[in-house]
Amino acid sequence: MSSEQTFIAIKPDGVQRGLVSSIMSRFENKGYKLVGIKLTNASEGLLREHYADLTAKPFFPGLLNYMLSGPICAMVWEGKDAVKTGRVLLGATNPLAALPGTIRGDYAIDVGRNVCHGSDSVENAKKEIALWFKPTEIVSYTPAVFKWIYE
Ligand code: IDP
Ligand code: MG
């Protein structure tokens, strides 16, 4: 399936550090298709829903403040195995454990400043895309290079 979609977000530290284009390039260069993008100040309500499974964690208040600290670049990337491979491109949650060549491995040090988010399952990707985007904000098109990326 080449139509799998994943939700990728460049967190406030990534935006402030001018890493938007570098992070987007990883997905573009791999061959994934950008189908949604916006720069947005997330509301606390949206973030509580987005991180609903983490609200009981001791780091949650810090995580909330971090995600509220500036604009986030929210994106939807589409392509074969986009969810799983998107996580590989991001690297491990703790940047010190993330391999060089991954986004977190190359651009971050602390787990609380790990510059990016990526959906961890197809089911969560669907939920997150619906949370961050209206259906009309997701576009459908066939890139001219499609046949040079997929056999
Ligand atoms: P993920 O972003 O790789 O999916 P999750 O476990 O879902 O990792 O955690 C969500 C986010 O919460 C992480 O990306 C990171 O920003 C933050 N986080 C996770 N664990 C810690 C921690 O131990 N201390 C501080 N922040 C954390
Ligand atoms: Mg997660």
Side-chain angles (χ1 to χ4, degrees):
M1 274 292 285
S2 61
S3 62
E4 186 173 297
Q5 294 180 341
T6 189
F7 175 69
I8 300 292
I10 304 173
K11 295 176 177 179
D13 50 341
V15 173
Q16 291 289 347
R17 292 175 56 196
L19 297 175
V20 171
S21 60
S22 303
I23 292 172
M24 289 185 72
S25 294
R26 306 290 180 110
F27 286 84
E28 282 189 326
N29 292 344
K30 178 73 178 167
Y32 287 127
K33 175 170 69 164
L34 182 66
V35 295
I37 184 167
K38 67 168 88 166
L39 195 65
T40 178
N41 286 301
S43 69
E44 184 175 332
L46 184 151
L47 291 168
R48 284 185 178 278
E49 207 169 327
H50 177 79
Y51 283 131
D53 56 329
L54 299 177
T55 43
K57 299 278 185 191
F59 60 81
F60 184 76
L63 173 61
L64 198 55
N65 280 338
Y66 165 42
M67 295 296 282
L68 285 168
S69 67
I72 291 170
C73 182
M75 299 174 283
V76 180
W77 289 89
E78 183 181 297
K80 189 191 271 184
D81 219 9
V83 172
K84 193 169 131 234
T85 309
R87 296 277 295 188
V88 175
L89 294 180
L90 261 52
T93 303
N94 181 345
L96 290 183
L99 293 176
T102 65
I103 294 163
R104 287 161 170 170
D106 286 350
Y107 298 123
I109 293 173
D110 269 351
V111 68
R113 296 289 185 274
N114 62 359
V115 304
C116 51
H117 165 86
S119 307
D120 63 5
S121 69
V122 173
E123 191 193 347
N124 282 338
K126 286 186 179 139
K127 280 189 207 159
E128 291 171 1
I129 291 165
L131 184 62
W132 288 79
F133 288 89
K134 297 178 191 135
T136 51
E137 292 172 330
I138 306 298
V139 298
S140 175
Y141 64 103
T142 304
V145 295
F146 209 69
K147 66 174 181 171
W148 301 108
I149 294 170
Y150 294 100
E151 65 176 17

